[in-house]
């Protein structure tokens, strides 16, 4: 039962495992599933393991059990289906005619082209009026379970006020917000940053170190000597440097800042600096890059265990990066080449990453991006890239 | 489990408004003997559900609050070496120092296993622990037994507990973990549901007041750019605060005058934003 439903879920990218499918059948046998609504609920709780897929599930469920329109069916897809139908037809006209509820002899007169047109018309009719009843198009065996018997009786849900049918519930698409295609939110990214921590002992000595206690007690000839340790606490320092010059970075500045702020309480210290395009003599604490400069030269005073995260698109004119006095700002003219400053940072701190909001496949188009990649490991500013960057930052060496 | 368990069905408890969908999922999970993993915004009643199940089925509730530093063995049992050391030195207790078993204490999962009656085991905020903890724990909950290494003894569950696991994480747990759980995501309640929830918590509250409060609440949830949206918990606390205030007048709410904003917004930026919105609406 429901094999097609199972594959339908899989085809739409919901990771449904065979084990959970078996478990779903076990659930059917518990006598708990009495209505289509129950089926909807139980199938979802056993098969779908993340709210991100609830939306897809709703659509597939509605489609499968009620023949609701499966959005989006494009004309191209319709063509495909019609063509497939034609093939079926040519193989076995009698059976198809039977399945479609049409007169075989009538269609026999049609040319293949006419047939395709006929199928297309029927298909379009189908997508428009999905409650038409005779869902004859190969939508994977919809009708046997969907409409018969179960549907009317068990639909209403007692007690919850305005109970809705499973199909209605499914069609509502309540979980659209959680769908994977939704935009990246702060909390999603905060999750990736959670890994970014380093536990070191700190605070009062209030945890008993058992091994040491036993050792010390034995040394003390059995007189008990309890040894206390400090608790492990997260003491990671983060230095965040953001390229906030130029429109190319504008959409990302805020989100990056917010996301690290969001995770602020898990770090001992979070310092944010700003720069434009690349780093010369100094970076700034204020986003106007004017009031509070901080010389790169002074950075070695900071904890060398600090993790440095640089966010920027790494795209600029090559001379900005490579030439001495390459800065586009006049007052910075007398400086080392920016690339040397970057190398200096890379040498001073063991853990530096560069996050690039531009997609990976564009990196090789910009010469400076590749040059910077040679200095720092570079990751995409996506959930995935962030994850990798965090993993890199947490490497021991 | 035994026959009569199948008749133990969960129907909701006195302080918990259950939607039918969730009740069905709880019942199926119990029938399948599978842990139920609950996700959802903070304040949607994930933890409350376990309390409600325990109350409804008259089972004791054992809750394990997961911490990031927690090791799995802590949740199973503890070997109290220090007491043993102390006893061996002073020897003034009734415990037998040569018998290690006297110094084994059950952790929360262990307690649920050795309990003579079926229990509800709530594993709260599983996402705090690392993946190994999660997977290993599910192994144990699958097999319903664990070994106490120190005394080489296997503890088997006398009764399979009803297991409720909650997670706040937006990120998914590991696949093997998810494979062994039933899953439900508690969506934020809509206005009608919220009215019923409030009615359960404040049976004597005037309908008009309740509606006005709920309306104000949803208005605040819609404020753009709020980082931590107020949840059911905040609404209940807020109404409690309003009730305690003798000067509170319901008509002030409709004028856009909202007292105790701090109950709703726990972050200063959010609070500032909300006050700004109120000031705007008053002008």
């Amino acid at each position: 039962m429901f094999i097609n439903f199972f594959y339908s879920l899989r085809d739409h990218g919901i990771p449904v495992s065979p084990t959970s499918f078996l478990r779903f059948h076990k659930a059917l046998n518990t006598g708990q599933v009495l209505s289509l609504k129950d089926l909807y609920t139980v199938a979802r709780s056993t098969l779908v393991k993340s709210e991100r897929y609830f939306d897809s599930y709703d659509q597939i469920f509605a489609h499968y059990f009620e023949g609701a329109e499966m959005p989006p069916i494009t004309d191209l897809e319709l063509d495909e289906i019609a063509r497939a139908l034609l093939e079926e037809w040519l193989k076995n006209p009698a059976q198809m005619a039977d399945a479609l509820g049409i007169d075989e002899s009538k269609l026999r007169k049609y040319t293949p082209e006419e047939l395709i047109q006929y199928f297309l018309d029927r298909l379009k009719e189908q997508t428009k009026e999905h409650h038409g009843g005779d869902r004859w198009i190969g939508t994977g065996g919809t009708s046997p379970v969907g409409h018969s018997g179960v549907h009317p009786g068990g639909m209403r849900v007692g007690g919850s006020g305005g109970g809705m049918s499973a199909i209605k519930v499914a069609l509502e698409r309540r979980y659209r917000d959680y769908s994977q295609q939704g935009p990246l939110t702060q909390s999603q990214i905060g999750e990736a940053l959670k890994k970014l921590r380093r536990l070191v002992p700190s605070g009062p000595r209030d945890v008993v170190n058992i091994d040491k206690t036993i050792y010390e007690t034995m040394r003390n000839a059995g007189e008990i000597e309890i040894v206390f340790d400090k608790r492990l606490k997260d003491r990671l320092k983060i230095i965040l440097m953001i390229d906030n010059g130029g429109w190319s970075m504008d959409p990302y500045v805020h989100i990056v800042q917010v996301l690290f702020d969001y995770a602020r309480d898990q770090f001992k210290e979070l310092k944010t600096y700003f720069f434009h395009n690349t780093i010369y003599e100094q970076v700034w604490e204020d986003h106007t890059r004017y009031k509070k400069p901080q010389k790169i030269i002074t950075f070695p005073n900071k904890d060398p265990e600090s993790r440095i995260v640089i966010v920027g698109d790494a795209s600029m004119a090559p001379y900005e990066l490579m030439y001495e006095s390459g800065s586009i700002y006049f007052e910075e003219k007398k400086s080392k080449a920016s690339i040397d400053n970057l190398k200096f940072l890379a040498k001073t701190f063991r853990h530096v990453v560069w996050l690039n909001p531009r997609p990976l496949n564009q990196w090789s188009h910009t010469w400076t991006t590749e040059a910077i990649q040679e200095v720092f490991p570079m990751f995409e500013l996506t959930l995935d890239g962030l994850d990798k960057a965090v993993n890199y930052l947490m490497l021991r060496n | 489990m035994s026959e009569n368990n199948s008749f133990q069905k969960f129907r909701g408890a006195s302080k918990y408004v259950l939607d039918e969908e969730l009740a069905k999922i709880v019942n199926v999970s119990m029938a399948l003997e599978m842990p139920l993993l609950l996700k959802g915004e903070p304040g949607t009643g994930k933890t409350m559900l376990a309390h409600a199940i325990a109350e409804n089925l008259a089972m004791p509730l054992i809750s394990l609050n997961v911490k990031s530093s927690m090791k799995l063995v802590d949740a199973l049992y503890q070997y109290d070496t220090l007491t043993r050391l102390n006893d061996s030195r002073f020897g003034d207790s009734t415990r037998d120092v040569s018998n290690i078993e006297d110094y084994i204490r059950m952790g929360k999962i262990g307690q649920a296993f050795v309990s003579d009656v079926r229990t509800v085991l709530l594993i709260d905020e599983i996402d705090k622990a690392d993946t190994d903890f999660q997977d290993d724990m599910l192994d144990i909950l699958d097999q319903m037994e664990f070994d106490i290494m120190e005394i080489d003894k296997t503890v088997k569950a006398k009764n399979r507990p009803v297991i409720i696991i909650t997670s706040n994480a937006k990120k998914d747990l590991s696949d093997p973990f998810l494979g062994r759980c039933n899953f439900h995501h508690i969506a934020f309640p809509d206005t009608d549901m919220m009215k019923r929830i409030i009615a359960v918590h404040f049976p004597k509250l005037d309908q008009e007041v309740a509606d006005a409060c709920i309306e104000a609440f949803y208005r605040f949830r819609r404020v753009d750019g709020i980082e931590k949206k107020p949840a059911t918990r905040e609404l209940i606390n807020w109404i409690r605060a309003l009730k305690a205030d003798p000067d509170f007048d319901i008509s002030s709410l409709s004028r856009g005058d909202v007292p105790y904003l701090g109950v709703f917004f726990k972050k200063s930026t959010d609070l500032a934003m909300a006050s700004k919105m109120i000031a705007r609406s008053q002008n």
Side-chain angles (χ1 to χ4, degrees):
Chain A
M1 266 213 299
F2 305 117
I3 300 275
N4 287 332
F5 179 52
F6 174 70
Y7 281 104
S8 194
L9 291 173
R10 285 189 72 95
D11 289 346
H12 287 86
I14 303 181
V16 199
S17 71
T19 333
S20 62
F21 189 58
L22 290 178
R23 197 165 287 131
F24 165 59
H25 279 95
K26 219 170 127 197
L28 292 179
N29 291 333
T30 58
Q32 300 266 3
V33 183
L34 304 171
S35 67
L36 192 59
K37 164 93 181 168
D38 288 355
L39 185 70
Y40 166 80
T41 312
V42 169
R44 197 188 63 200
S45 78
T46 47
L47 297 175
V48 187
K49 300 301 168 72
S50 168
E51 70 273 18
R52 282 183 296 150
Y53 302 113
F54 278 15
D55 187 41
S56 312
Y57 172 83
D58 279 357
Q59 292 176 50
I60 295 163
F61 187 90
H63 169 68
Y64 187 87
F65 289 100
E66 193 70 346
E69 186 179 334
M70 193 62 210
I73 297 185
T74 59
D75 282 352
L76 195 72
E77 280 174 302
L78 283 179
D79 271 351
E80 289 284 310
I81 300 173
R83 229 165 267 282
L85 281 171
L86 180 68
E87 269 173 38
E88 281 299 304
W89 172 264
L90 295 174
K91 263 188 252 162
N92 194 344
Q95 199 188 334
M96 277 291 276
D98 198 32
L100 308 185
I102 42 175
D103 189 3
E104 189 199 334
S105 54
K106 201 174 100 192
L107 284 194
R108 271 185 184 278
K109 299 193 190 104
Y110 288 13
T111 64
E113 283 73 30
E114 280 171 329
L115 267 174
I116 286 219
Q117 195 51 45
Y118 176 80
F119 287 135
L120 266 177
D121 290 346
R122 289 295 296 266
L123 277 166
K124 280 182 180 151
E125 216 169 87
Q126 173 72 15
T127 41
K128 267 179 233 145
E129 298 175 40
H130 48 73
H131 48 78
D134 55 341
R135 290 169 300 279
W136 51 276
I137 296 307
T139 46
T142 39
S143 37
V145 212
H147 229 23
S148 61
V150 252
H151 190 172
M155 285 306 257
R156 282 194 64 82
V157 184
S160 71
M164 282 184 287
S165 83
I167 302 303
K168 265 196 187 156
V169 169
L171 277 177
E172 257 193 2
R173 303 189 57 190
R174 294 171 292 167
Y175 296 99
R176 198 193 304 231
D177 289 355
Y178 302 107
S179 174
Q180 256 185 325
Q181 288 136 9
L184 222 54
T185 59
Q186 293 159 15
S187 43
Q188 256 179 322
I189 301 181
E191 209 55 51
L193 289 181
K194 258 193 186 161
K195 274 197 213 146
L196 201 54
R197 60 178 171 201
R198 188 171 62 117
L199 295 170
V200 292
S202 70
R205 295 181 177 272
D206 57 354
V207 180
V208 176
N209 182 332
I210 289 175
D211 289 341
K212 266 199 188 147
T213 298
I214 293 173
Y215 178 77
E216 286 300 325
T217 302
M218 291 310 120
R219 266 170 55 98
N220 232 355
E223 195 65 44
I224 291 178
E225 178 75 41
I226 298 180
V227 182
F228 289 96
D229 271 349
K230 289 179 180 175
R231 253 169 226 280
L232 291 177
K233 270 233 181 96
D234 195 14
R235 299 282 83 174
L236 197 63
K237 292 180 190 166
I238 304 279
I239 298 173
L240 182 61
M241 296 182 182
I242 306 178
D243 171 3
N244 73 339
W247 56 270
S248 58
M249 281 302 296
D250 273 353
Y252 307 106
V253 172
H254 180 68
I255 187 159
V256 169
Q257 235 184 318
V258 168
L259 114 215
F260 275 88
D261 264 348
Y262 204 75
R264 178 186 286 272
D265 48 350
Q266 82 187 38
F267 308 129
K268 179 175 187 210
E269 196 181 278
L270 172 64
K271 276 268 177 205
T272 310
Y273 299 101
F274 297 95
F275 62 92
H276 182 187
N277 280 355
T278 182
I279 296 168
Y280 303 100
E281 296 281 274
Q282 52 201 8
V283 287
W284 287 264
E285 274 183 61
D286 59 315
H287 63 92
T288 53
R289 301 191 305 275
Y290 174 65
K291 286 180 207 136
K292 288 190 198 157
Q294 169 109 27
K295 291 240 184 283
I296 292 295
I297 276 295
T298 63
F299 269 69
N301 296 341
K302 300 185 183 296
D303 184 349
E305 282 297 300
S306 295
R307 266 58 170 177
I308 299 193
V309 180
I310 307 176
V311 186
D313 55 11
S315 326
M316 64 205 92
Y319 73 84
E320 290 182 47
L321 187 64
M322 301 311 285
Y323 290 177
E324 281 177 33
S325 316
S327 170
I328 53 176
Y329 291 104
F330 180 72
E331 59 273 25
E332 274 192 83
K333 278 300 179 197
K334 281 188 181 165
S335 66
K336 281 194 285 186
S338 170
I339 192 97
D340 292 328
N341 277 316
L342 297 180
K343 281 179 183 154
F344 175 73
L345 278 179
K347 221 170 71 188
T348 315
F349 298 93
R350 292 192 302 157
H351 306 277
V352 188
V353 290
W354 187 294
L355 292 176
N356 194 334
R358 294 171 73 223
L360 186 66
N361 53 18
Q362 292 179 13
W363 291 1
S364 54
H365 299 175
T366 332
W367 188 86
T368 48
T369 310
E370 290 193 308
I372 290 175
Q373 261 181 291
E374 281 171 21
V375 184
F376 303 122
M378 193 177 282
F379 301 94
E380 269 184 302
L381 184 63
T382 60
L383 206 51
D384 242 19
L386 205 56
D387 215 40
K388 284 185 199 142
V390 167
N391 281 339
Y392 176 84
L393 286 175
M394 294 322 290
L395 287 180
R396 291 251 164 237
N397 295 305
Chain B
M1 288 292 105
S2 62
E3 259 304 290
N4 61 350
N5 274 335
S6 60
F7 293 104
Q8 279 190 318
K9 273 197 187 166
F10 177 58
R11 291 197 180 80
S14 56
K15 279 273 181 183
Y16 189 87
V17 181
L18 183 73
D19 74 76
E20 203 63 22
E21 192 175 77
L22 183 50
K24 177 57 67 181
I25 292 172
V26 170
N27 287 332
V28 167
S29 305
M30 279 167 65
L32 287 178
E33 304 184 333
M34 278 179 59
L36 173 59
L37 172 66
L38 291 173
K39 276 166 75 175
E41 257 184 74
T44 39
K46 298 184 291 292
T47 311
M48 284 294 286
L49 176 70
H51 289 266
I53 295 173
E55 185 191 334
N56 185 260
L57 303 179
M59 293 180 192
L61 175 72
I62 296 175
S63 51
L64 170 70
N65 293 310
V66 178
K67 296 187 184 67
S68 55
S69 56
M70 199 175 240
K71 291 193 197 96
L72 180 62
V73 89
D74 299 337
L76 303 176
Y77 68 92
Q78 281 131 30
Y79 171 28
D80 192 349
T81 35
L82 272 193
T83 310
R84 185 158 176 243
L85 186 64
N86 190 61
D87 285 354
S88 69
R89 171 68 182 79
F90 300 105
D92 55 357
S93 77
T94 51
R95 288 176 287 259
D96 178 2
V97 176
S98 59
N99 183 7
I100 293 177
E101 202 168 344
D102 280 5
Y103 298 92
I104 300 285
R105 286 206 214 123
M106 285 300 158
K108 294 292 179 187
I109 294 179
Q111 285 170 23
F113 279 16
V114 298
S115 163
D116 288 326
V117 291
R118 198 173 180 203
T119 56
V120 176
L121 175 61
L122 167 67
I123 297 162
D124 218 358
E125 304 190 27
I126 183 77
D127 50 304
K128 280 188 186 167
D130 56 18
T131 343
D132 287 349
F133 178 100
Q134 296 166 2
D135 292 347
D136 294 350
M137 188 186 76
L138 259 281
D139 272 337
I140 286 175
L141 296 181
D142 234 18
Q143 291 152 10
M144 279 291 140
E145 62 177 46
F146 61 86
D147 294 326
I148 298 179
M149 275 192 307
E150 282 82 355
I151 52 176
D152 198 16
K153 191 181 136 185
T154 305
V155 177
K156 280 199 169 72
K158 290 185 189 162
N159 294 293
R160 185 178 270 266
V162 179
I163 303 165
I164 307 287
I165 302 169
T166 75
S167 163
N168 280 327
K170 290 267 162 59
K171 208 173 114 190
D172 286 344
L173 299 159
S174 73
D175 286 341
F177 187 92
L178 292 171
R180 290 172 194 178
C181 296
N182 279 336
F183 172 75
H184 184 58
H185 180 275
I186 305 188
F188 197 81
D190 56 15
T191 326
D192 291 334
M193 188 70 176
M194 189 56 85
K195 280 183 183 159
R196 293 171 57 218
I197 294 172
I198 293 304
V200 165
H201 280 267
F202 302 99
K204 287 187 196 131
L205 192 70
D206 191 56
Q207 188 62 42
E208 194 192 335
V209 180
D211 289 354
C213 291
I214 291 170
E215 202 224 300
F217 170 72
Y218 278 97
R219 207 166 56 226
F220 283 127
R221 273 184 64 84
R222 280 193 299 268
V223 178
D224 278 338
I226 293 285
E227 229 175 277
K228 162 102 181 61
K229 287 185 180 174
T232 317
R233 188 192 300 135
E234 276 78 33
L235 176 62
I236 290 173
N237 286 339
W238 186 59
I239 295 180
R240 205 174 279 150
L242 294 183
K243 278 181 67 174
D245 181 357
D247 297 333
F248 173 67
D249 175 21
I250 183 64
S251 59
S252 68
L253 259 190
S254 48
R255 283 201 310 272
D257 196 7
V258 185
Y260 309 117
L261 263 188
V263 180
F264 273 151
F265 298 102
K266 312 285 174 68
K267 295 200 171 183
S268 43
T269 49
D270 290 356
L271 187 61
M273 220 181 278
S275 329
K276 221 186 278 170
M277 186 204 80
I278 289 169
R280 251 206 316 268
S281 68
Q282 274 174 326
N283 291 331

